[in-house]
Amino acid sequence: MASTLLTPGSNAERSRQYNRGLVLGHIRREGEAGRAEIARASGLSTQAVSNIIADLLADGWVVETGRRSGQRGQPAVTYAIRAEAGAALGVEIRPDAVLAAWIDLAGTVLHSARVALTRARPEDVLPVLQGLPGRVAGCSLIGAGVVMPGPVGVTGLSGQASELPGWGGIDAQVALEEALGLPVTVENDANTAAMAERVMGAAQGIDTFACLYFGTGLGLGLVAGGEVFGGAFGNAGEIGHIPVPTPEGPTRLEDVASRMALVRLLAEAGLHPATGDDLAALHAQAPPAYLDWLDRASTALGHAVLLLENLFDPETIILTGALPPPILDDLVARTPLPELSVSNRPDRRHPRLIAGRVGRRAATLGAAALVVNTALSPRLVATA
Amino acid sequence: MASTLLTPGSNAERSRQYNRGLVLGHIRREGEAGRAEIARASGLSTQAVSNIIADLLADGWVVETGRRSGQRGQPAVTYAIRAEAGAALGVEIRPDAVLAAWIDLAGTVLHSARVALTRARPEDVLPVLQGLPGRVAGCSLIGAGVVMPGPVGVTGLSGQASELPGWGGIDAQVALEEALGLPVTVENDANTAAMAERVMGAAQGIDTFACLYFGTGLGLGLVAGGEVFGGAFGNAGEIGHIPVPTPEGPTRLEDVASRMALVRLLAEAGLHPATGDDLAALHAQAPPAYLDWLDRASTALGHAVLLLENLFDPETIILTGALPPPILDDLVARTPLPELSVSNRPDRRHPRLIAGRVGRRAATLGAAALVVNTALSPRLVATA
DNA sequence: GTTGAACCTTCAAGTGAGTTGAGTTAATCG
DNA sequence: CGATTAACTCAACTCACTTGAAGGTTCAAC
């Protein structure tokens, strides 16, 4: 509900908040850290860091974890994030269900839930959301992230077409904040999945990366400098729609590299996997239809990798989403990495393409991860 | 020379500097602005803004431009950026020459120069640079931007291959700062060209856009939230290397959409334009070879537009660089804009594709514009 | 084993910048 | 012309960071 200024000015209060985020962010990155070390890293005085740490201790955000000896001089007292200090709620609204997950500051999943829907209009969804915040005891909820299909963005859904009926005319963010009673961030599935990988998955410690997300189709989440990049209107990352060359002529990427494409190819071969386990079994059984898909999909993904590396120059690219891990691994192994790329360097810290570790629920968990990431990063925010 | 912290903490001094940038940025965006108005926009108190404006007046950064009447209440005193308050130097280092341009805070070109080189090793270039800062009297230089070919970025050129011989082993940024005696920002040509369009060209007032730059090949400059986006290693924007479909099969974009490609096609038709004016005349003469190139290039650019819109969702895309304006206009007019794009919306504020207005010297001027943009934007910077 | 350098931490005073609230000035509106 | 509205200023206040001196611990060298 906070009226957010685009670029708020800085005053004492906002400085403090920013520096708290800076300290928390450093501790999270390092796992644990001493005060003098944080002071050196941030350019703040040790005294300032001491005061902030004292605050954070009093508020329960960090805990003392011991002393770091071995060096000359007095050993530093180290601190770590207290995972239970706060929890975040992630909500995914689908046409047929609402998925929810609660995570703590360390990214541990505390609880999750699924509520089936017959319709997903606001009047069907909002009452379901009202019951969610009370579900976890002990941890105080600091915010919620919400994943919705359709173009979302800086202006919310208002005035834009959405794939969810009935949400077109209302400001989704405001309605959701009211229903949940929490600060809400709305994002698309690929972006939240990327954040899930950053907070609790394969992208920990990586600030700039791209995430290819297998949902209904294929989405792209971009993280730059530790923050989601959504484009000018929040609709960046529609990579599924771009054409890729195939032997039969150009098609859209997600017509080849997606769960839908896999299911279609399997169906043409008379296979009808019903569950996720059925899909996971494909890796071991390796039926021709699967190998065929793998071939087409990985070739197409190679094209996507080429695009992303040349346009975005990420530290790494991550495959994640609603495909079983062995299949993601197969894709990573098979995808040809282009020789001609600015990313093809010998001094890389990370492989160019890796499989995500968050799994099927990446989008829902990522919605919550978005909130955690915000809480543990410095940012100037007006609190009017 | 300043040891730059990645994320510096905020203290009173840095807050002030940040808020000064905020105030200057607001005044630049609006052209002129009153104090109360700035206070509302920034969330600062009117008193704080008053104090900052008093400082800026004393230092000569802003000037009073009158009073805004017509409203009820006491009319606001308005202020505007004083263009002569500072100047920025832009330097472009090419294998055969050093280009330089001086601009003031309003983006007006004060002076420009060209020094021919036979070689462009550091020992050839650095002495030339030493003479540049003294060239403009009156305005104090606040910094320099430098454009160099080859992969540049967060680590400078050190340890990476460069297209300029002899620069591989040294830290370019440090060497350049020493030679120029100014704070230096190193960027690639496409990114500086984008900044030129933002500060003094077709992208004024646009915060998130993509810029296709016709240099030797075809480069991409990305500006997000008013800042250049360079990728994790400073090598984002290599759009020239990506494959595009053509009737004869896929080729690299810059093999079709570039000045080089135009010159080659003209040569095959027996035409050998020697000067920029010869090229500009093509628009009027419209020889078949030119029309052929136009056809191929604009089709390929249509593909690039599709990619950029779907991956980055920019407010607009700008064509700029070393092609005469009428040719850029021809390209803009001919380039097919894909129907299937998140950018194909009715409520757009800007056309999807526009021609740049900075012209041939976009990269050099943009290097200077980069400095101006930094000076007039809020940023937390440690000044150790 | 003693000495001393290196290092972390705290105390207390000081500083800079933004905030607050009352008061002043100058327009427009009825 | 007075009421209202809005921009601006003054002076006291508060907050958060900095500075510099002092106190503790640890390791390493003699």
Side-chain angles (χ1 to χ4, degrees):
Chain A
M1 223 66 96
S3 89
T4 313
L5 265 45
L6 274 65
T7 44
S10 169
N11 57 23
E13 181 194 343
R14 266 132 47 184
S15 274
R16 177 65 135 193
Q17 194 188 341
Y18 177 91
N19 288 339
R20 272 176 72 124
L22 194 66
V23 169
L24 284 170
H26 184 89
I27 296 177
R28 173 174 60 150
R29 259 195 313 282
E30 301 298 322
E32 58 177 34
R35 281 174 277 194
E37 170 197 343
I38 298 171
R40 280 189 300 269
S42 63
L44 295 171
S45 63
T46 57
Q47 186 58 58
V49 175
S50 265
N51 292 340
I52 291 169
I53 291 274
D55 265 22
L56 293 173
L57 271 173
D59 295 353
W61 282 85
V62 299
V63 283
E64 220 179 292
T65 53
R67 320 200 88 194
R68 179 175 290 166
S69 59
Q71 302 260 1
R72 198 186 259 201
Q74 178 167 145
V77 180
T78 56
Y79 300 88
I81 302 289
R82 189 166 153 269
E84 323 86 76
L89 168 61
V91 176
E92 185 175 354
I93 302 173
R94 295 188 182 174
D96 62 338
V98 170
L99 307 182
W102 291 255
I103 69 174
D104 67 18
L105 294 182
T108 309
V109 180
L110 302 174
H111 183 57
S112 61
R114 183 195 160 100
V115 179
L117 296 175
T118 48
R119 295 208 282 191
R121 297 166 310 172
E123 56 267 39
D124 307 310
V125 172
L126 294 177
V128 171
L129 300 190
Q130 271 166 355
L132 294 180
R135 288 284 193 94
V136 261
C139 281
S140 73
L141 283 173
I142 55 177
V146 177
V147 180
M148 301 183 67
V152 295
V154 284
T155 54
L157 293 173
S158 19
Q160 299 195 19
S162 164
E163 291 179 32
L164 285 186
W167 291 83
I170 70 172
D171 187 329
Q173 211 225 329
V174 170
L176 293 166
E177 287 199 334
E178 204 155 306
L180 289 165
L182 292 168
V184 163
T185 314
V186 180
E187 264 298 348
N188 69 45
D189 48 9
N191 282 333
T192 61
M195 206 38 91
E197 295 294 346
R198 177 170 152 79
V199 169
M200 53 215 271
Q204 289 180 54
I206 305 183
D207 286 334
T208 300
F209 64 97
C211 193
L212 288 164
Y213 173 79
F214 291 91
T216 318
L218 185 70
L220 169 67
L222 293 172
V223 174
E227 301 290 328
V228 165
F229 174 76
F233 309 102
N235 296 321
E238 286 294 340
I239 201 170
H241 297 168
I242 66 164
V244 289
T246 68
E248 296 87 33
T251 23
R252 302 191 321 165
L253 178 58
E254 67 184 11
D255 291 340
V256 186
S258 68
R259 187 186 166 118
M260 245 163 43
L262 171 57
V263 170
R264 196 183 58 237
L265 251 70
L266 291 174
E268 286 172 10
L271 296 171
H272 298 280
T275 67
D277 287 343
D278 291 349
L279 277 179
L282 289 169
H283 167 73
Q285 298 166 350
Y290 172 65
L291 296 178
D292 184 31
W293 174 78
L294 206 52
D295 213 46
R296 291 162 179 266
S298 57
T299 305
L301 286 177
H303 190 79
V305 167
L306 175 67
L307 290 179
L308 291 175
E309 289 185 345
N310 278 304
L311 296 185
F312 192 63
D313 191 23
E315 289 178 71
T316 191
I317 299 174
I318 296 177
L319 295 186
T320 187
L323 284 177
I327 296 188
L328 290 178
D329 289 336
D330 277 347
L331 283 172
V332 168
R334 293 275 198 119
T335 297
L337 299 176
E339 288 277 325
L340 183 76
S341 164
V342 288
S343 290
N344 191 10
R345 276 189 307 273
D347 60 333
R348 296 186 59 86
R349 279 177 51 221
H350 308 281
R352 289 165 69 182
L353 184 67
I354 57 182
R357 288 209 296 264
V358 175
R360 203 166 29 85
R361 291 182 300 171
T364 312
L365 293 174
L370 209 55
V371 176
V372 168
N373 190 63
T374 303
L376 303 181
S377 301
R379 198 174 302 174
L380 284 174
V381 184
T383 48
Chain B
M1 220 73 88
S3 87
T4 313
L5 264 45
L6 273 66
T7 45
S10 168
N11 57 22
E13 181 193 344
R14 275 149 16 201
S15 274
R16 176 66 135 196
Q17 193 188 341
Y18 177 91
N19 288 340
R20 271 175 74 124
L22 195 66
V23 169
L24 284 169
H26 184 89
I27 296 176
R28 174 177 56 151
R29 257 195 313 283
E30 301 298 321
E32 59 177 34
R35 281 175 276 193
E37 170 196 341
I38 298 171
R40 279 189 301 269
S42 62
L44 295 170
S45 62
T46 57
Q47 187 57 55
V49 174
S50 265
N51 292 339
I52 292 170
I53 291 273
D55 264 23
L56 293 173
L57 271 174
D59 295 353
W61 282 85
V62 299
V63 284
E64 218 178 294
T65 53
R67 320 202 87 192
R68 180 173 290 166
S69 58
Q71 303 262 359
R72 201 185 251 205
Q74 179 169 143
V77 180
T78 56
Y79 300 88
I81 303 289
R82 191 168 150 266
E84 322 86 78
L89 168 60
V91 176
E92 184 175 355
I93 303 173
R94 294 187 183 175
D96 62 337
V98 169
L99 307 181
W102 290 254
I103 69 174
D104 67 17
L105 294 182
T108 309
V109 181
L110 303 174
H111 183 56
S112 61
R114 183 195 161 100
V115 179
L117 295 175
T118 48
R119 295 209 282 191
R121 296 167 310 171
E123 56 267 39
D124 308 309
V125 172
L126 295 177
V128 172
L129 300 189
Q130 271 165 356
L132 294 180
R135 288 284 194 93
V136 258
C139 280
S140 72
L141 283 174
I142 55 176
V146 177
V147 180
M148 302 183 67
V152 295
V154 285
T155 55
L157 292 174
S158 19
Q160 300 194 19
S162 165
E163 291 178 33
L164 284 186
W167 291 83
I170 69 172
D171 187 329
Q173 210 226 330
V174 170
L176 292 166
E177 287 199 335
E178 204 156 305
L180 289 165
L182 291 169
V184 163
T185 312
V186 180
E187 263 299 347
N188 70 46
D189 48 8
N191 281 334
T192 61
M195 205 40 91
E197 294 294 348
R198 178 169 152 78
V199 169
M200 53 214 272
Q204 289 180 56
I206 304 182
D207 286 333
T208 301
F209 65 97
C211 194
L212 289 163
Y213 173 78
F214 291 90
T216 319
L218 184 70
L220 169 68
L222 293 172
V223 174
E227 300 292 328
V228 165
F229 173 77
F233 309 102
N235 295 320
E238 285 295 339
I239 202 171
H241 298 166
I242 66 164
V244 289
T246 69
E248 297 87 33
T251 25
R252 303 190 322 162
L253 178 57
E254 68 184 11
D255 291 339
V256 185
S258 67
R259 186 184 168 121
M260 246 164 39
L262 171 57
V263 170
R264 196 184 56 238
L265 251 70
L266 292 174
E268 286 172 12
L271 296 171
H272 298 279
T275 67
D277 286 345
D278 291 349
L279 277 180
L282 289 170
H283 167 73
Q285 298 165 351
Y290 172 66
L291 295 179
D292 185 30
W293 172 80
L294 206 52
D295 214 45
R296 291 162 179 266
S298 58
T299 306
L301 286 177
H303 190 80
V305 166
L306 174 66
L307 290 180
L308 291 175
E309 289 186 342
N310 278 305
L311 297 185
F312 288 102
D313 192 23
E315 289 178 73
T316 190
I317 299 174
I318 296 176
L319 295 185
T320 188
L323 285 177
I327 295 190
L328 290 179
D329 289 336
D330 277 348
L331 283 173
V332 168
R334 292 275 198 119
T335 296
L337 300 176
E339 289 275 327
L340 182 77
S341 165
V342 288
S343 291
N344 191 11
R345 277 187 306 274
D347 60 333
R348 297 186 59 87
R349 279 178 50 221
H350 309 281
R352 289 164 70 183
L353 184 67
I354 58 183
R357 287 208 296 263
V358 175
R360 201 165 30 83
R361 292 181 301 170
T364 312
L365 293 174
L370 207 56
V371 176
V372 168
N373 189 63
T374 303
L376 303 182
S377 301
R379 198 173 303 175
L380 284 173
V381 184
T383 48

